[in-house]
Amino acid sequence: MNDPASFARQAVERLRAEVPGRAIIAASGGIDSTAAALLTEKALGDRARAVFVDTGLLRQGEVDRVGELFRSSGLRYDVVAASDRFLGALAGVTDPEEKRRRVGTEFIRLFEEEAGRFGADRLVQGTIAPDWIESGGELRSTIKTHHNVGGVPKGTRLVLVEPLRDLYKDEVRALAHHLGIPEPNRQPFPGPGLAVRVDGPVTAERVRRARVANAIVEEEVERAVEAKEMPRPWQYFAVLLGTRTVGVTGDNRVLGEAVSVRIVDSVDAMTATAASPPRAVLGKIAERITRDLAGEVVRVLYDITDKPPATIEWE
Ligand code: XMP
């Protein structure tokens, strides 16, 4: 991409050429799909409709935050509430790739239904280069099935349109800035949501634990960044581990769960370095997680692995 303004102009022209009829836009509230949605609305006007799915796998306060983001970006959108549907699709699934496939399939089914109602035959997604490169589009082996690439079932009647597929994350940030999307520096959040931050079975209860732990990590890191105790990391979150571990509450030994805290620095998510936050910040995170989830989460670990060899997310 040479400059965001000319990229945006060309993308709008391409979208007009690629979409003769109507399109629905898979809008997650991340900067990728928000940028794709704004370009599509510019190109198609009333022939485009952005759909935001509440999967029940979102972060605390996400539905309100996304609504606010879309409103201030000037994007028209509809919300579809679908928690039961996604939790149902994930019931009993522990394999990370299978989770991604199930979430991807559920998304596509839902978008097919929504497209049917709107009379659309195109689905616009905010896929960017690292998504499809890591899903096996260029590398020989599949590192990970990104829900918005590998999860698309064969035989869907929707034609995919991916206006950002050649961009890397830092280019999308520049584009988002150009398009007037507020808060373009907000950290990324994976499409399959908390399903890939719950190691092992995904139940409503375990998703709630992951959600509470994620919110605490976000709050404490953001507080420390604002207080200039640490530089702003690329991404910071919690993962509910698939292991049981012993803790103590009062005089009792309890068998609870463990959470891993991940805080990384990166430029484009292709590689990443485990950050070294102040020990006091980590201590506060551990204290709050084990207090707010008392008897449920009894141990908090800090992940010191770079990418590679690890990925940023656990699954
Ligand atoms: P990994 O874990 O592969 O993640 O090192 C690289 C970056 O991508 C985010 N991520 C996703 N984004 N759909 C997305 O749109 C996904 O399925 C997905 N999985 C991971 C991850 O949070 C990190 O920023």
Side-chain angles (χ1 to χ4, degrees), residues 32 100 126 130-131 134 143-148 169 188-193 196-197 234-235 237 268-270 272 307 310-315:
D32 305 353
R100 285 168 178 274
D131 300 342
E134 293 201 357
I143 297 176
K144 182 182 281 182
T145 307
H146 276 256
H147 89 283
N148 47 0
K169 202 83 197 184
F189 184 64
V196 293
R197 293 188 182 168
W234 164 269
Q235 210 168 350
F237 56 90
D268 57 7
M270 299 295 277
K307 170 183 182 177
T311 49
I312 294 176
E313 302 287 343
W314 269 57
E315 297 200 328

Side-chain angles (χ1 to χ4, degrees), residues 36-281:
L38 282 172
L39 290 174
T40 307
E41 261 209 348
K42 266 194 218 302
L44 307 179
D46 287 345
R47 290 191 287 126
R49 173 169 168 257
V51 175
F52 173 71
V53 183
D54 179 359
T55 58
L57 303 166
L58 301 171
R59 283 174 291 190
Q60 202 163 286
E62 187 90 344
V63 178
D64 292 342
R65 184 191 70 78
V66 170
E68 183 50 40
L69 172 83
F70 290 166
R71 277 189 297 277
S72 52
S73 305
L75 186 71
R76 287 168 300 136
Y77 68 99
D78 290 324
V79 180
V80 180
S83 324
D84 290 350
R85 203 169 157 156
F86 279 85
L87 282 175
L90 288 163
V93 180
T94 54
D95 179 68
E97 285 300 294
E98 186 59 22
K99 283 182 190 172
R100 285 168 178 274
R101 270 191 294 274
R102 299 270 182 121
V103 171
T105 303
E106 213 47 45
F107 262 112
I108 289 291
R109 286 205 183 115
L110 198 146
F111 281 117
E112 277 176 343
E113 292 167 19
E114 293 300 314
R117 271 194 271 279
F118 186 58
D121 59 356
R122 298 285 197 279
L123 174 64
V124 178
Q125 289 191 328
T127 315
I128 64 170
D131 300 342
W132 58 267
I133 291 173
E134 293 201 357
S135 287
E138 200 169 74
L139 301 183
R140 218 164 285 141
S141 66
T142 300
I143 297 176
K144 182 182 281 182
T145 307
H146 276 256
H147 89 283
N148 47 0
V149 182
V152 178
K154 292 202 172 55
T156 175
R157 54 171 201 82
L158 289 174
V159 178
L160 288 185
V161 178
E162 297 173 325
L164 311 183
R165 61 174 288 117
D166 294 327
L167 300 191
Y168 285 83
K169 202 83 197 184
D170 48 339
E171 296 174 316
V172 179
R173 283 173 193 273
L175 176 67
H177 181 75
H178 167 75
L179 293 171
I181 298 172
E183 254 192 282
N185 278 327
R186 196 178 159 89
Q187 60 167 329
F189 184 64
L194 296 174
V196 293
R197 293 188 182 168
V198 169
D199 182 11
V202 182
T203 60
E205 187 69 347
R206 300 193 75 226
V207 170
R208 180 185 60 79
R209 290 175 190 151
R211 181 178 292 120
V212 169
N214 266 274
I216 290 171
V217 173
E218 291 192 6
E219 279 169 27
E220 289 305 323
V221 169
E222 278 154 22
R223 191 205 50 75
V225 168
E226 256 152 55
K228 303 209 175 353
E229 292 166 17
M230 61 186 284
R232 177 174 294 281
W234 164 269
Q235 210 168 350
Y236 37 101
F237 56 90
V239 176
L240 187 70
L241 299 183
T243 189
R244 306 283 270 168
T245 175
V246 175
V248 279
T249 54
D251 293 337
N252 297 323
R253 287 164 71 84
V254 289
L255 188 57
E257 298 207 78
V259 156
S260 174
V261 174
R262 185 94 166 121
I263 305 177
V264 295
D265 296 315
S266 178
V267 176
D268 57 7
M270 299 295 277
T271 61
T273 314
S276 302
R279 177 65 182 78
V281 174

